Amino acid sequence: MAETVSGTRGSSTGAHISPQFPASGVNQTPVVDCRKVRGLNVSDRCDFIRTNPDCHSDGGYLDYLEGIFCHFPPSLLPLAVTLYVSWLLYLFLILGVTAAKFFCPNLSAISTTLKLSHNVAGVTFLAFGNGAPDIFSALVAFSDPHTAGLALGALFGAGVLVTTVVAGGITILHPFMAASRPFFRDIVFYMVAVFLTFLMLFRGRVTLAWALGYLGLYVFYVVTVILCTWIYQRQRRGSLFCPMPVTPEILSDSEEDRVSSNTNSYDYGDEYRPLFFYQETTAQILVRALNPLDYMKWRRKSAYWKALKVFKLPVEFLLLLTVPVVDPDKDDQNWKRPLNCLHLVISPLVVVLTLQSGTYGVYEIGGLVPVWVVVVIAGTALASVTFFATSDSQPPRLHWLFAFLGFLTSALWINAAATEVVNILRSLGVVFRLSNTVLGLTLLAWGNSIGDAFSDFTLARQGYPRMAFSACFGGIIFNILVGVGLGCLLQISRSHTEVKLEPDGLLVWVLAGALGLSLVFSLVSVPLQCFQLSRVYGFCLLLFYLNFLVVALLTEFGVIHLKSM
């Protein structure tokens, strides 16, 4: 969909494109759609994958296409696809655990350290934390012209999913009266973002000014939220001198409740706090800090929770070992001296080995010493000084710096997992001859949004439907503005003057149109209901999404198509 180099050559270039793979060793290798590999003979597929530039990915640790077509025999293709799908689901689990347990708490600690207001933190740091999987998936997808369709498909697909299925599910679980001013503010900003993206697709290119415009619109949104909150607080202060009936709408206009509900606290310390205080040894502190399992909680949980916890244990242990977390709400701020000192060695090592898929980590300084060796030596020296200069009972004055280290490390973990997710989805698209757009609006959008859906449904069941409904429209504004704006900006910065967009057929316009229609439907129907949202409204949203999904799949498989002139 998005290209910075010429894609499939036409007749004007003089390059002949045929189903046969290009001969190796030719300097000017024609770029052939990688999905044509399924039409070749079995003996030719491996060479096609290795020599065709369209089948190569810039990032990631594994070459999934080469694995399918070069290492698995054709008879075991179903097994390869099953393994890839299983790995894809586990990567989504990694994304969710990293964002919820490590990324968001560190962002919350940073906002507390910087003494940001709840509203500023909510629309910046916490929005970044909640939308981390979507943002990193978009950045990774935009970095490669072959997978840029995944980015727009996922951002638009997640938008349709959240504004219909999630919003509709909330009203079905708990009908409520929506807050008028936050609703109008968020939905208008989101409609403007969708309209800009529609124009971007129509123009077929993204310039530097256009990408900066996306980011500028998000800054304007943040300023608007702050200004609205300031006005709201002045109204409340004025009401203290002039008592007046308090309506649910006024109470729900506060952004602080919604932001605090999205803050995920790091709860391992509370799980393993001993009943009686005694002096623990350094080894005992380390073992307790690295234990991701609470045995008392394990005994009273359901079989489903236990099964999911078993899958989470390796991820949680690895993240506990590599990502420091600062919790300002705890007395010790989650200070674990032996583990935090170990983090000073391991976390920087993870950073250099995950940045650009480890390219910088293996670079040799002066052709002699790899960068990762220098990082280990420097980290060991710093950890030794920290260990002997601090105590187990009291966190050091500069303990807040661990929040920044944890933020960087967890962000790169998420980025690494998102890179693998994008590469797997593209590989599955090649195997099943699906476009990147349909993979983005289905698998990638579902995987990145499932955590938000469960969180919002839980809030609704607990009696906070307004918070959950506001999050549906407020959180995805950050995803589309920053995801598209920053993704295109990073691609332009890599020696490209602009990002060229070539809509992937009719499907992209169906996707953009469906998102716009869902927003218009809510903008019209919610005020007509006097903001009293009922279950009928929720079922209408679910029906809208089902119809959209059917139309999108029919368009992908050519049942619905434009008549050729």
Side-chain angles (χ1 to χ4, degrees), residues 495-540:
S495 70
H496 301 298
T497 57
E498 63 182 19
V499 179
K500 294 182 180 179
L501 296 176
E502 295 183 3
D504 198 2
L506 180 62
L507 181 59
V508 176
W509 304 107
V510 170
L511 183 56
L515 180 55
L517 286 176
S518 69
L519 295 176
V520 171
F521 174 76
S522 294
L523 182 63
V524 174
S525 61
V526 171
L528 288 178
Q529 301 174 78
C530 298
F531 298 93
Q532 186 64 48
L533 305 185
S534 63
R535 289 188 173 90
V536 175
Y537 169 73
F539 283 115
C540 288

mmCIF file of all heavy atoms in Angstrom, residues 495-540:
data_model
loop_
_atom_site.group_PDB
_atom_site.id
_atom_site.type_symbol
_atom_site.label_atom_id
_atom_site.label_comp_id
_atom_site.label_asym_id
_atom_site.label_seq_id
_atom_site.Cartn_x
_atom_site.Cartn_y
_atom_site.Cartn_z
ATOM 1 N N SER A 495 15.922 9.030 4.609
ATOM 2 C CA SER A 495 16.376 9.467 3.273
ATOM 3 C C SER A 495 15.275 9.453 2.224
ATOM 4 O O SER A 495 15.544 9.392 1.039
ATOM 5 C CB SER A 495 17.539 8.589 2.774
ATOM 6 O OG SER A 495 17.106 7.274 2.465
ATOM 7 N N HIS A 496 14.013 9.488 2.634
ATOM 8 C CA HIS A 496 12.917 9.532 1.685
ATOM 9 C C HIS A 496 12.260 10.910 1.748
ATOM 10 O O HIS A 496 12.011 11.438 2.833
ATOM 11 C CB HIS A 496 11.867 8.454 1.975
ATOM 12 C CG HIS A 496 12.424 7.061 1.933
ATOM 13 N ND1 HIS A 496 12.971 6.517 0.804
ATOM 14 C CD2 HIS A 496 12.512 6.111 2.884
ATOM 15 C CE1 HIS A 496 13.389 5.281 1.071
ATOM 16 N NE2 HIS A 496 13.117 5.026 2.326
ATOM 17 N N THR A 497 11.972 11.479 0.620
ATOM 18 C CA THR A 497 11.345 12.796 0.597
ATOM 19 C C THR A 497 9.869 12.732 0.939
ATOM 20 O O THR A 497 9.311 13.676 1.471
ATOM 21 C CB THR A 497 11.516 13.441 -0.787
ATOM 22 O OG1 THR A 497 10.951 12.564 -1.779
ATOM 23 C CG2 THR A 497 12.998 13.666 -1.095
ATOM 24 N N GLU A 498 9.225 11.635 0.652
ATOM 25 C CA GLU A 498 7.808 11.477 0.955
ATOM 26 C C GLU A 498 7.458 9.996 0.950
ATOM 27 O O GLU A 498 8.215 9.150 0.462
ATOM 28 C CB GLU A 498 6.936 12.221 -0.055
ATOM 29 C CG GLU A 498 7.066 11.709 -1.466
ATOM 30 C CD GLU A 498 6.229 12.502 -2.452
ATOM 31 O OE1 GLU A 498 5.846 13.641 -2.128
ATOM 32 O OE2 GLU A 498 5.960 11.962 -3.541
ATOM 33 N N VAL A 499 6.303 9.693 1.504
ATOM 34 C CA VAL A 499 5.788 8.323 1.522
ATOM 35 C C VAL A 499 4.681 8.228 0.492
ATOM 36 O O VAL A 499 3.686 8.957 0.567
ATOM 37 C CB VAL A 499 5.253 7.942 2.913
ATOM 38 C CG1 VAL A 499 4.693 6.525 2.897
ATOM 39 C CG2 VAL A 499 6.346 8.053 3.955
ATOM 40 N N LYS A 500 4.859 7.376 -0.492
ATOM 41 C CA LYS A 500 3.848 7.200 -1.528
ATOM 42 C C LYS A 500 2.847 6.135 -1.100
ATOM 43 O O LYS A 500 3.223 5.074 -0.629
ATOM 44 C CB LYS A 500 4.503 6.806 -2.855
ATOM 45 C CG LYS A 500 5.386 7.898 -3.441
ATOM 46 C CD LYS A 500 5.965 7.475 -4.780
ATOM 47 C CE LYS A 500 6.852 8.572 -5.365
ATOM 48 N NZ LYS A 500 7.440 8.176 -6.663
ATOM 49 N N LEU A 501 1.582 6.451 -1.270
ATOM 50 C CA LEU A 501 0.509 5.545 -0.883
ATOM 51 C C LEU A 501 -0.227 5.074 -2.125
ATOM 52 O O LEU A 501 -0.599 5.889 -2.978
ATOM 53 C CB LEU A 501 -0.474 6.243 0.052
ATOM 54 C CG LEU A 501 0.073 6.700 1.402
ATOM 55 C CD1 LEU A 501 -0.988 7.458 2.151
ATOM 56 C CD2 LEU A 501 0.544 5.517 2.218
ATOM 57 N N GLU A 502 -0.391 3.783 -2.220
ATOM 58 C CA GLU A 502 -1.178 3.198 -3.299
ATOM 59 C C GLU A 502 -2.256 2.340 -2.664
ATOM 60 O O GLU A 502 -1.970 1.250 -2.173
ATOM 61 C CB GLU A 502 -0.305 2.361 -4.233
ATOM 62 C CG GLU A 502 0.725 3.180 -4.985
ATOM 63 C CD GLU A 502 1.535 2.334 -5.954
ATOM 64 O OE1 GLU A 502 1.224 1.138 -6.057
ATOM 65 O OE2 GLU A 502 2.451 2.875 -6.590
ATOM 66 N N PRO A 503 -3.500 2.845 -2.593
ATOM 67 C CA PRO A 503 -4.570 2.094 -1.943
ATOM 68 C C PRO A 503 -4.679 0.678 -2.485
ATOM 69 O O PRO A 503 -4.646 0.455 -3.690
ATOM 70 C CB PRO A 503 -5.828 2.918 -2.265
ATOM 71 C CG PRO A 503 -5.306 4.305 -2.483
ATOM 72 C CD PRO A 503 -3.952 4.121 -3.132
ATOM 73 N N ASP A 504 -4.778 -0.265 -1.582
ATOM 74 C CA ASP A 504 -4.813 -1.682 -1.927
ATOM 75 C C ASP A 504 -6.202 -2.051 -2.427
ATOM 76 O O ASP A 504 -6.931 -2.821 -1.805
ATOM 77 C CB ASP A 504 -4.431 -2.509 -0.702
ATOM 78 C CG ASP A 504 -4.036 -3.922 -1.082
ATOM 79 O OD1 ASP A 504 -4.032 -4.221 -2.282
ATOM 80 O OD2 ASP A 504 -3.750 -4.709 -0.182
ATOM 81 N N GLY A 505 -6.589 -1.480 -3.545
ATOM 82 C CA GLY A 505 -7.869 -1.799 -4.135
ATOM 83 C C GLY A 505 -9.027 -1.133 -3.406
ATOM 84 O O GLY A 505 -8.888 -0.160 -2.670
ATOM 85 N N LEU A 506 -10.202 -1.695 -3.632
ATOM 86 C CA LEU A 506 -11.428 -1.145 -3.054
ATOM 87 C C LEU A 506 -11.502 -1.343 -1.552
ATOM 88 O O LEU A 506 -12.200 -0.591 -0.858
ATOM 89 C CB LEU A 506 -12.627 -1.812 -3.741
ATOM 90 C CG LEU A 506 -14.028 -1.385 -3.306
ATOM 91 C CD1 LEU A 506 -14.253 0.093 -3.592
ATOM 92 C CD2 LEU A 506 -15.069 -2.255 -3.998
ATOM 93 N N LEU A 507 -10.772 -2.315 -1.009
ATOM 94 C CA LEU A 507 -10.905 -2.665 0.404
ATOM 95 C C LEU A 507 -10.554 -1.495 1.322
ATOM 96 O O LEU A 507 -11.196 -1.287 2.349
ATOM 97 C CB LEU A 507 -10.025 -3.881 0.718
ATOM 98 C CG LEU A 507 -10.067 -4.382 2.159
ATOM 99 C CD1 LEU A 507 -11.480 -4.763 2.557
ATOM 100 C CD2 LEU A 507 -9.124 -5.563 2.340
ATOM 101 N N VAL A 508 -9.517 -0.743 0.974
ATOM 102 C CA VAL A 508 -9.111 0.374 1.827
ATOM 103 C C VAL A 508 -10.213 1.417 1.919
ATOM 104 O O VAL A 508 -10.483 1.969 2.994
ATOM 105 C CB VAL A 508 -7.819 1.008 1.289
ATOM 106 C CG1 VAL A 508 -7.441 2.232 2.109
ATOM 107 C CG2 VAL A 508 -6.695 -0.006 1.326
ATOM 108 N N TRP A 509 -10.874 1.678 0.804
ATOM 109 C CA TRP A 509 -11.950 2.662 0.820
ATOM 110 C C TRP A 509 -13.162 2.137 1.584
ATOM 111 O O TRP A 509 -13.855 2.916 2.251
ATOM 112 C CB TRP A 509 -12.339 3.023 -0.615
ATOM 113 C CG TRP A 509 -11.165 3.512 -1.409
ATOM 114 C CD1 TRP A 509 -10.509 2.857 -2.399
ATOM 115 C CD2 TRP A 509 -10.479 4.755 -1.242
ATOM 116 N NE1 TRP A 509 -9.474 3.600 -2.875
ATOM 117 C CE2 TRP A 509 -9.417 4.786 -2.186
ATOM 118 C CE3 TRP A 509 -10.652 5.848 -0.391
ATOM 119 C CZ2 TRP A 509 -8.552 5.853 -2.299
ATOM 120 C CZ3 TRP A 509 -9.783 6.928 -0.511
ATOM 121 C CH2 TRP A 509 -8.756 6.923 -1.451
ATOM 122 N N VAL A 510 -13.409 0.837 1.521
ATOM 123 C CA VAL A 510 -14.476 0.238 2.330
ATOM 124 C C VAL A 510 -14.166 0.410 3.809
ATOM 125 O O VAL A 510 -15.036 0.761 4.624
ATOM 126 C CB VAL A 510 -14.649 -1.253 1.981
ATOM 127 C CG1 VAL A 510 -15.582 -1.944 2.976
ATOM 128 C CG2 VAL A 510 -15.179 -1.411 0.570
ATOM 129 N N LEU A 511 -12.903 0.195 4.165
ATOM 130 C CA LEU A 511 -12.483 0.296 5.562
ATOM 131 C C LEU A 511 -12.613 1.726 6.077
ATOM 132 O O LEU A 511 -13.177 1.973 7.154
ATOM 133 C CB LEU A 511 -11.034 -0.185 5.684
ATOM 134 C CG LEU A 511 -10.418 -0.237 7.079
ATOM 135 C CD1 LEU A 511 -11.260 -1.094 7.998
ATOM 136 C CD2 LEU A 511 -9.011 -0.792 6.996
ATOM 137 N N ALA A 512 -12.101 2.682 5.295
ATOM 138 C CA ALA A 512 -12.190 4.083 5.704
ATOM 139 C C ALA A 512 -13.645 4.552 5.758
ATOM 140 O O ALA A 512 -14.048 5.275 6.678
ATOM 141 C CB ALA A 512 -11.381 4.951 4.751
ATOM 142 N N GLY A 513 -14.445 4.136 4.772
ATOM 143 C CA GLY A 513 -15.844 4.525 4.770
ATOM 144 C C GLY A 513 -16.618 3.948 5.941
ATOM 145 O O GLY A 513 -17.475 4.616 6.530
ATOM 146 N N ALA A 514 -16.306 2.689 6.315
ATOM 147 C CA ALA A 514 -16.992 2.062 7.445
ATOM 148 C C ALA A 514 -16.673 2.779 8.753
ATOM 149 O O ALA A 514 -17.550 2.984 9.602
ATOM 150 C CB ALA A 514 -16.606 0.589 7.536
ATOM 151 N N LEU A 515 -15.427 3.160 8.925
ATOM 152 C CA LEU A 515 -15.062 3.877 10.139
ATOM 153 C C LEU A 515 -15.768 5.232 10.195
ATOM 154 O O LEU A 515 -16.280 5.633 11.250
ATOM 155 C CB LEU A 515 -13.539 4.060 10.199
ATOM 156 C CG LEU A 515 -12.992 4.796 11.423
ATOM 157 C CD1 LEU A 515 -13.452 4.142 12.711
ATOM 158 C CD2 LEU A 515 -11.470 4.847 11.374
ATOM 159 N N GLY A 516 -15.790 5.933 9.067
ATOM 160 C CA GLY A 516 -16.489 7.210 9.047
ATOM 161 C C GLY A 516 -17.973 7.064 9.322
ATOM 162 O O GLY A 516 -18.562 7.843 10.084
ATOM 163 N N LEU A 517 -18.601 6.038 8.741
ATOM 164 C CA LEU A 517 -20.028 5.820 8.966
ATOM 165 C C LEU A 517 -20.332 5.453 10.414
ATOM 166 O O LEU A 517 -21.349 5.882 10.972
ATOM 167 C CB LEU A 517 -20.533 4.712 8.037
ATOM 168 C CG LEU A 517 -20.704 5.080 6.565
ATOM 169 C CD1 LEU A 517 -21.119 3.856 5.755
ATOM 170 C CD2 LEU A 517 -21.732 6.197 6.400
ATOM 171 N N SER A 518 -19.448 4.662 11.042
ATOM 172 C CA SER A 518 -19.681 4.307 12.443
ATOM 173 C C SER A 518 -19.631 5.536 13.340
ATOM 174 O O SER A 518 -20.421 5.666 14.290
ATOM 175 C CB SER A 518 -18.646 3.272 12.895
ATOM 176 O OG SER A 518 -17.350 3.836 12.979
ATOM 177 N N LEU A 519 -18.710 6.464 13.041
ATOM 178 C CA LEU A 519 -18.616 7.685 13.842
ATOM 179 C C LEU A 519 -19.822 8.588 13.601
ATOM 180 O O LEU A 519 -20.368 9.180 14.543
ATOM 181 C CB LEU A 519 -17.323 8.425 13.509
ATOM 182 C CG LEU A 519 -16.025 7.696 13.879
ATOM 183 C CD1 LEU A 519 -14.812 8.486 13.413
ATOM 184 C CD2 LEU A 519 -15.941 7.454 15.374
ATOM 185 N N VAL A 520 -20.245 8.704 12.338
ATOM 186 C CA VAL A 520 -21.422 9.516 12.040
ATOM 187 C C VAL A 520 -22.663 8.929 12.701
ATOM 188 O O VAL A 520 -23.518 9.662 13.238
ATOM 189 C CB VAL A 520 -21.616 9.631 10.509
ATOM 190 C CG1 VAL A 520 -22.958 10.272 10.178
ATOM 191 C CG2 VAL A 520 -20.482 10.423 9.893
ATOM 192 N N PHE A 521 -22.773 7.603 12.697
ATOM 193 C CA PHE A 521 -23.912 6.946 13.331
ATOM 194 C C PHE A 521 -23.973 7.285 14.818
ATOM 195 O O PHE A 521 -25.046 7.623 15.355
ATOM 196 C CB PHE A 521 -23.816 5.433 13.135
ATOM 197 C CG PHE A 521 -24.873 4.659 13.874
ATOM 198 C CD1 PHE A 521 -26.177 4.616 13.408
ATOM 199 C CD2 PHE A 521 -24.556 3.974 15.032
ATOM 200 C CE1 PHE A 521 -27.152 3.906 14.096
ATOM 201 C CE2 PHE A 521 -25.523 3.262 15.724
ATOM 202 C CZ PHE A 521 -26.826 3.230 15.251
ATOM 203 N N SER A 522 -22.831 7.194 15.502
ATOM 204 C CA SER A 522 -22.810 7.525 16.926
ATOM 205 C C SER A 522 -23.052 9.011 17.158
ATOM 206 O O SER A 522 -23.752 9.395 18.105
ATOM 207 C CB SER A 522 -21.465 7.112 17.538
ATOM 208 O OG SER A 522 -21.301 5.713 17.520
ATOM 209 N N LEU A 523 -22.472 9.854 16.305
ATOM 210 C CA LEU A 523 -22.640 11.301 16.462
ATOM 211 C C LEU A 523 -24.102 11.714 16.326
ATOM 212 O O LEU A 523 -24.553 12.651 17.003
ATOM 213 C CB LEU A 523 -21.788 12.033 15.421
ATOM 214 C CG LEU A 523 -21.802 13.561 15.459
ATOM 215 C CD1 LEU A 523 -21.238 14.070 16.780
ATOM 216 C CD2 LEU A 523 -21.023 14.130 14.288
ATOM 217 N N VAL A 524 -24.856 11.020 15.485
ATOM 218 C CA VAL A 524 -26.258 11.363 15.276
ATOM 219 C C VAL A 524 -27.161 10.663 16.288
ATOM 220 O O VAL A 524 -28.062 11.278 16.874
ATOM 221 C CB VAL A 524 -26.691 11.006 13.836
ATOM 222 C CG1 VAL A 524 -28.184 11.211 13.652
ATOM 223 C CG2 VAL A 524 -25.908 11.842 12.830
ATOM 224 N N SER A 525 -26.917 9.368 16.514
ATOM 225 C CA SER A 525 -27.844 8.584 17.329
ATOM 226 C C SER A 525 -27.732 8.875 18.819
ATOM 227 O O SER A 525 -28.738 8.846 19.538
ATOM 228 C CB SER A 525 -27.627 7.089 17.078
ATOM 229 O OG SER A 525 -26.309 6.710 17.446
ATOM 230 N N VAL A 526 -26.536 9.153 19.310
ATOM 231 C CA VAL A 526 -26.374 9.396 20.752
ATOM 232 C C VAL A 526 -27.125 10.648 21.197
ATOM 233 O O VAL A 526 -27.879 10.602 22.178
ATOM 234 C CB VAL A 526 -24.876 9.470 21.122
ATOM 235 C CG1 VAL A 526 -24.704 9.939 22.563
ATOM 236 C CG2 VAL A 526 -24.226 8.099 20.945
ATOM 237 N N PRO A 527 -26.991 11.808 20.514
ATOM 238 C CA PRO A 527 -27.810 12.959 20.927
ATOM 239 C C PRO A 527 -29.314 12.715 20.754
ATOM 240 O O PRO A 527 -30.126 13.223 21.547
ATOM 241 C CB PRO A 527 -27.327 14.080 19.999
ATOM 242 C CG PRO A 527 -25.946 13.684 19.600
ATOM 243 C CD PRO A 527 -25.996 12.206 19.483
ATOM 244 N N LEU A 528 -29.714 11.950 19.714
ATOM 245 C CA LEU A 528 -31.133 11.660 19.533
ATOM 246 C C LEU A 528 -31.695 10.854 20.696
ATOM 247 O O LEU A 528 -32.899 10.923 20.984
ATOM 248 C CB LEU A 528 -31.357 10.902 18.218
ATOM 249 C CG LEU A 528 -31.191 11.719 16.923
ATOM 250 C CD1 LEU A 528 -31.390 10.831 15.706
ATOM 251 C CD2 LEU A 528 -32.164 12.899 16.897
ATOM 252 N N GLN A 529 -30.834 10.074 21.352
ATOM 253 C CA GLN A 529 -31.264 9.323 22.528
ATOM 254 C C GLN A 529 -31.149 10.143 23.806
ATOM 255 O O GLN A 529 -31.317 9.600 24.903
ATOM 256 C CB GLN A 529 -30.413 8.051 22.678
ATOM 257 C CG GLN A 529 -30.471 7.108 21.503
ATOM 258 C CD GLN A 529 -29.491 5.961 21.655
ATOM 259 O OE1 GLN A 529 -29.738 5.010 22.398
ATOM 260 N NE2 GLN A 529 -28.362 6.040 20.963
ATOM 261 N N CYS A 530 -30.840 11.441 23.653
ATOM 262 C CA CYS A 530 -30.608 12.310 24.815
ATOM 263 C C CYS A 530 -29.493 11.766 25.690
ATOM 264 O O CYS A 530 -29.534 11.875 26.926
ATOM 265 C CB CYS A 530 -31.895 12.496 25.632
ATOM 266 S SG CYS A 530 -33.220 13.286 24.696
ATOM 267 N N PHE A 531 -28.513 11.135 25.041
ATOM 268 C CA PHE A 531 -27.316 10.582 25.684
ATOM 269 C C PHE A 531 -27.637 9.439 26.647
ATOM 270 O O PHE A 531 -26.774 9.017 27.405
ATOM 271 C CB PHE A 531 -26.524 11.685 26.415
ATOM 272 C CG PHE A 531 -26.020 12.757 25.485
ATOM 273 C CD1 PHE A 531 -26.760 13.906 25.264
ATOM 274 C CD2 PHE A 531 -24.825 12.596 24.820
ATOM 275 C CE1 PHE A 531 -26.305 14.884 24.396
ATOM 276 C CE2 PHE A 531 -24.353 13.576 23.949
ATOM 277 C CZ PHE A 531 -25.099 14.717 23.742
ATOM 278 N N GLN A 532 -28.879 8.951 26.617
ATOM 279 C CA GLN A 532 -29.252 7.788 27.415
ATOM 280 C C GLN A 532 -29.090 6.553 26.529
ATOM 281 O O GLN A 532 -29.981 6.213 25.739
ATOM 282 C CB GLN A 532 -30.692 7.914 27.920
ATOM 283 C CG GLN A 532 -31.114 6.799 28.873
ATOM 284 C CD GLN A 532 -30.330 6.802 30.164
ATOM 285 O OE1 GLN A 532 -30.170 7.843 30.791
ATOM 286 N NE2 GLN A 532 -29.820 5.648 30.565
ATOM 287 N N LEU A 533 -27.932 5.888 26.626
ATOM 288 C CA LEU A 533 -27.605 4.784 25.734
ATOM 289 C C LEU A 533 -28.235 3.490 26.237
ATOM 290 O O LEU A 533 -28.043 3.097 27.397
ATOM 291 C CB LEU A 533 -26.081 4.638 25.629
ATOM 292 C CG LEU A 533 -25.333 5.907 25.207
ATOM 293 C CD1 LEU A 533 -23.859 5.624 25.018
ATOM 294 C CD2 LEU A 533 -25.927 6.485 23.938
ATOM 295 N N SER A 534 -28.962 2.822 25.336
ATOM 296 C CA SER A 534 -29.682 1.601 25.693
ATOM 297 C C SER A 534 -29.039 0.392 25.031
ATOM 298 O O SER A 534 -28.114 0.508 24.229
ATOM 299 C CB SER A 534 -31.150 1.714 25.257
ATOM 300 O OG SER A 534 -31.226 1.838 23.843
ATOM 301 N N ARG A 535 -29.570 -0.766 25.350
ATOM 302 C CA ARG A 535 -29.062 -2.008 24.754
ATOM 303 C C ARG A 535 -29.367 -2.068 23.260
ATOM 304 O O ARG A 535 -28.634 -2.706 22.499
ATOM 305 C CB ARG A 535 -29.668 -3.214 25.470
ATOM 306 C CG ARG A 535 -29.135 -3.428 26.886
ATOM 307 C CD ARG A 535 -29.619 -4.743 27.464
ATOM 308 N NE ARG A 535 -28.978 -5.023 28.744
ATOM 309 C CZ ARG A 535 -29.457 -4.632 29.917
ATOM 310 N NH1 ARG A 535 -30.594 -3.937 29.966
ATOM 311 N NH2 ARG A 535 -28.809 -4.917 31.041
ATOM 312 N N VAL A 536 -30.445 -1.441 22.827
ATOM 313 C CA VAL A 536 -30.773 -1.429 21.400
ATOM 314 C C VAL A 536 -29.657 -0.760 20.613
ATOM 315 O O VAL A 536 -29.235 -1.230 19.541
ATOM 316 C CB VAL A 536 -32.112 -0.709 21.167
ATOM 317 C CG1 VAL A 536 -32.403 -0.587 19.674
ATOM 318 C CG2 VAL A 536 -33.242 -1.453 21.875
ATOM 319 N N TYR A 537 -29.140 0.343 21.137
ATOM 320 C CA TYR A 537 -28.013 1.033 20.504
ATOM 321 C C TYR A 537 -26.791 0.126 20.425
ATOM 322 O O TYR A 537 -26.091 0.072 19.406
ATOM 323 C CB TYR A 537 -27.695 2.293 21.301
ATOM 324 C CG TYR A 537 -26.401 2.982 20.922
ATOM 325 C CD1 TYR A 537 -26.284 3.690 19.730
ATOM 326 C CD2 TYR A 537 -25.293 2.929 21.765
ATOM 327 C CE1 TYR A 537 -25.098 4.321 19.386
ATOM 328 C CE2 TYR A 537 -24.102 3.554 21.431
ATOM 329 C CZ TYR A 537 -24.022 4.253 20.243
ATOM 330 O OH TYR A 537 -22.839 4.878 19.904
ATOM 331 N N GLY A 538 -26.536 -0.644 21.499
ATOM 332 C CA GLY A 538 -25.410 -1.569 21.501
ATOM 333 C C GLY A 538 -25.543 -2.661 20.465
ATOM 334 O O GLY A 538 -24.585 -2.976 19.743
ATOM 335 N N PHE A 539 -26.750 -3.234 20.336
ATOM 336 C CA PHE A 539 -26.955 -4.283 19.340
ATOM 337 C C PHE A 539 -26.853 -3.724 17.926
ATOM 338 O O PHE A 539 -26.388 -4.415 17.012
ATOM 339 C CB PHE A 539 -28.310 -4.957 19.557
ATOM 340 C CG PHE A 539 -28.328 -5.927 20.712
ATOM 341 C CD1 PHE A 539 -29.107 -5.687 21.832
ATOM 342 C CD2 PHE A 539 -27.547 -7.075 20.681
ATOM 343 C CE1 PHE A 539 -29.118 -6.571 22.901
ATOM 344 C CE2 PHE A 539 -27.552 -7.978 21.742
ATOM 345 C CZ PHE A 539 -28.339 -7.716 22.856
ATOM 346 N N CYS A 540 -27.268 -2.485 17.721
ATOM 347 C CA CYS A 540 -27.130 -1.864 16.393
ATOM 348 C C CYS A 540 -25.656 -1.722 16.016
ATOM 349 O O CYS A 540 -25.274 -1.941 14.858
ATOM 350 C CB CYS A 540 -27.818 -0.507 16.380
ATOM 351 S SG CYS A 540 -29.622 -0.570 16.416
#
